[in-house]
């Protein structure tokens, strides 16, 4: 059983289905990727083509029984997963091996709730429209998500005032210093107004999970700031783990794993992706954790501990930050080197051939 069919769950389930009977449980009716919020809001049609894909379109998922629903409880001693389907039915799935890939909540764009396709569409379109109609946008948070939104909105909505507030002197704290510098100059180039050393006062109930419109107050002493619309990307992620025994979790509620992505003390239980407490950046999603977990589930099934793979994470985050643009995509290596690949090459190579063809193993037309 694979709990959660997001970016890592889909890849894990698809590969395990070559050898095993796999059940994948997902509150969404298809892959609704948590990646690339900026393109999602400012280049929605392009984003949807690659990041929102019905499960029936993913060829390698043909061998996976997908269940549209939400897991409510995992009972490891009985090897059972208890869930409620989208139509309200209570169902129990038994497992020999369990992979937890339920990700995290992070603002309005990554929620664990059950949704049908119309509701996913309404979510994606509604926020993009609100931002498109606003004269001025404030983005709070200088991590990858905040930077991606500020850049994409400024670039694709010329004339809109975009303000990016971040608490440190620089953006992208967990990236290599070279990446921070490059991104700062890219933000400047598209006219984003950057406001360093601004730490927002969060409402008592936590960071807003919807767009807001009131003034934003700062605990760093500056005057409150008002924009037509504010988007909060302050990195307060909440792991989707309320359905798991507390002993499986670390102090922050993420799933404890060893170097083989096994949950210590629970034979046959694995975790991968943003929910798994692997390294300080919890980066197994982007660092091919699904390959490690697939190998290790196979090793477990064969009773071969010696062939277990080790998950290793680079110190710095890497990959794309700004997403695809009219002139191509910038990819950063873990050592901070930047490679700009022109769009005429990047789109057919990275997105159509590598992501859709190789990583997903073929995607049917909608
Ligand atoms: C190939 C690849 C390349 C990447 N490249 C980049 C990059 O260049 N730059 C970058 O910043 N990041 C990149 N990422 C990483 C990305 O930003 C996130 O880390 C990734 O989206 C997290 O995936 P996930 O599967 O852990 O979570 P999610 O994609 O959020 O999936 C979790 C799923 O679990 C579901 N769920 C929640 N609760 C339950 C429940 N109770 N029962 C059942 N299901 C539940 C959720 O609804 C969701 O569908 C990449 C990831 C991959 C796989």
């Amino acid at each position: 059983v694979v709990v959660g069919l997001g970016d890592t769950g889909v890849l894990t389930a698809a590969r395990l289905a070559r050898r095993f009977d796999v059940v994948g449980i997902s509150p969404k009716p298809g892959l609704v990727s948590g990646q690339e919020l900026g393109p999602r809001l400012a280049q929605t049609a392009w984003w949807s083509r690659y990041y929102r894909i019905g499960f029936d379109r993913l060829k390698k998922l043909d061998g996976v029984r997908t269940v549209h629903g939400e897991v409510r409880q995992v009972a490891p001693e009985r090897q059972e997963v208890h869930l409620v389907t989208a139509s309200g039915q209570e169902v129990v799935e038994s497992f020999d091996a369990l992979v937890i890939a339920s990700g995290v909540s992070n603002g309005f764009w990554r929620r664990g709730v059950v949704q049908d396709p119309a509701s996913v569409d309404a979510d994606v379109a509604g926020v993009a429209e609100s931002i498109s109609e606003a004269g001025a946008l404030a983005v709070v948070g200088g991590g990858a998500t905040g930077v991606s939104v500020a850049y994409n909105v400024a670039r694709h909505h010329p004339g809109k005032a975009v303000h990016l507030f971040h608490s440190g002197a620089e953006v992208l704290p967990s990236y290599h210093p070279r990446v921070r510098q490059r991104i700062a100059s890219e933000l400047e180039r598209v006219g984003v107004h950057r406001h360093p050393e601004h730490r927002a006062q969060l409402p008592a109930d936590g960071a807003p999970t919807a767009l807001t419109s009131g003034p934003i107050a700062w605990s760093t002493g500056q005057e409150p700031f008002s924009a037509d619309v504010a988007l909060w990307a302050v990195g307060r992620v909440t792991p989707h783990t309320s359905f798991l025994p507390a002993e499986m979790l670390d102090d922050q509620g993420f799933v404890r794993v060893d170097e083989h992505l096994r949950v210590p003390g629970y034979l046959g239980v694995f975790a991968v992706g943003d929910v798994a407490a692997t390294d300080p950046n919890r980066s197994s999603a982007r660092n091919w954790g699904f390959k490690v977990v697939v190998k290790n589930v196979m090793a477990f099934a064969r009773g071969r501990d010696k062939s277990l793979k080790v998950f290793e994470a680079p110190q710095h985050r890497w990959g794309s930050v700004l997403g695809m643009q009219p002139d191509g995509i910038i990819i950063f290596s873990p050592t901070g080197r930047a490679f700009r690949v022109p769009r005429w090459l990047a789109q057919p190579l990275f997105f159509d051939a590598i992501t859709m063809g190789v990583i997903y193993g073929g995607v049917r037309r909608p």
Side-chain angles (χ1 to χ4, degrees), residues 30 42 49 85 125 136 157 201 206 232 266 273 317:
R49 176 168 169 189
T85 66
H157 294 281
Q201 276 174 12
W232 297 70
Y266 296 89
R317 289 178 187 250

Side-chain angles (χ1 to χ4, degrees), residues 55-271:
F55 292 140
D56 55 338
R57 292 179 51 213
L58 292 163
K59 292 183 185 170
K60 281 203 174 158
L61 274 194
D62 287 354
V64 174
R65 180 160 63 85
T66 56
V67 180
H68 188 191
E70 185 186 337
V71 172
R72 294 285 172 84
Q73 196 204 346
V74 167
E77 63 297 342
R78 296 198 299 277
Q79 295 178 284
E80 284 175 358
V81 170
H82 296 240
L83 64 121
V84 176
T85 66
S87 56
Q89 223 186 330
E90 291 185 14
V91 172
V92 179
E93 296 285 352
S94 302
F95 64 83
D96 297 307
L98 175 70
V99 179
I100 303 157
S102 47
V104 299
S105 279
N106 184 3
F108 59 82
W109 60 96
R110 291 180 77 190
R111 296 184 295 136
V113 295
V114 172
Q115 287 184 288
D116 62 15
S119 148
V120 174
D121 280 342
D123 262 9
V124 173
V127 182
E129 263 167 44
S130 302
I131 288 180
S132 163
E133 285 162 9
L137 168 71
V139 179
V140 187
T145 303
V147 162
S148 161
V149 171
Y151 179 90
N152 276 277
V153 172
R155 179 147 188 187
H156 295 274
H157 294 281
K160 195 185 298 297
V162 179
H163 296 265
L164 174 64
F165 297 89
H166 50 95
S167 55
E170 288 183 292
V171 291
L172 300 177
S174 50
Y175 284 74
H176 195 282
R178 273 199 285 260
V179 181
R180 291 185 224 149
Q181 278 164 19
R182 173 66 183 265
I183 291 292
S185 69
E186 294 290 334
L187 289 168
E188 199 179 319
R189 206 163 60 84
V190 294
V192 171
H193 306 281
R194 208 152 60 77
H195 304 268
E197 318 279 1
H198 279 64
R199 182 175 287 279
Q201 276 174 12
L202 296 183
D205 53 349
T209 52
L211 298 177
T212 60
S213 55
I216 305 164
W218 311 104
S219 59
T220 32
Q222 297 88 348
E223 287 295 305
F225 184 88
S226 286
D228 300 326
V229 160
L231 182 145
W232 297 70
V234 288
R236 296 280 166 92
V237 298
T238 310
H240 296 142
T241 50
S242 57
F243 54 87
L244 292 170
E247 303 75 53
M248 281 193 184
L249 310 178
D250 71 7
D251 294 345
Q252 294 163 281
F254 293 86
V255 183
R256 292 188 293 116
V257 285
D258 66 11
E259 59 182 357
H260 306 295
L261 304 182
R262 298 177 300 186
V263 181
Y266 296 89
L267 205 60
V269 180
F270 301 78

Side-chain angles (χ1 to χ4, degrees), residues 3-9 11 25-28 31-36 69-72 101-104 110-113 144 175 240 243 272-275 285-286 288 290 318-321 359:
V3 178
L5 292 176
D7 284 317
T8 41
L11 298 174
I25 303 162
S26 168
K28 311 293 165 198
L31 174 66
V32 184
S33 174
Q35 292 187 59
E36 306 278 27
E70 185 186 337
V71 172
R72 294 285 172 84
S102 47
V104 299
R110 291 180 77 190
R111 296 184 295 136
V113 295
Y175 284 74
H240 296 142
F243 54 87
V272 66
D274 289 5
V275 79
R286 79 185 59 182
W288 313 109
F290 72 92
W318 64 280
S320 147
V321 177
I359 298 181

Side-chain angles (χ1 to χ4, degrees), residues 305-356:
D305 268 9
K306 280 195 184 132
S307 49
L308 286 170
K309 289 252 178 265
V310 171
F311 171 72
E312 282 168 313
Q315 190 193 346
H316 293 292
R317 289 178 187 250
W318 64 280
S320 147
V321 177
L322 307 175
M324 178 66 94
Q325 300 302 328
D327 52 354
I329 189 166
I330 307 174
I331 309 280
F332 296 99
S333 76
T335 58
R337 302 238 172 266
F339 306 90
R340 184 188 285 279
V341 186
R343 188 168 182 137
W344 63 264
L345 178 63
Q347 176 129 343
L349 181 65
F350 294 161
F351 288 87
D352 294 324
I354 298 181
T355 307
M356 300 283 120

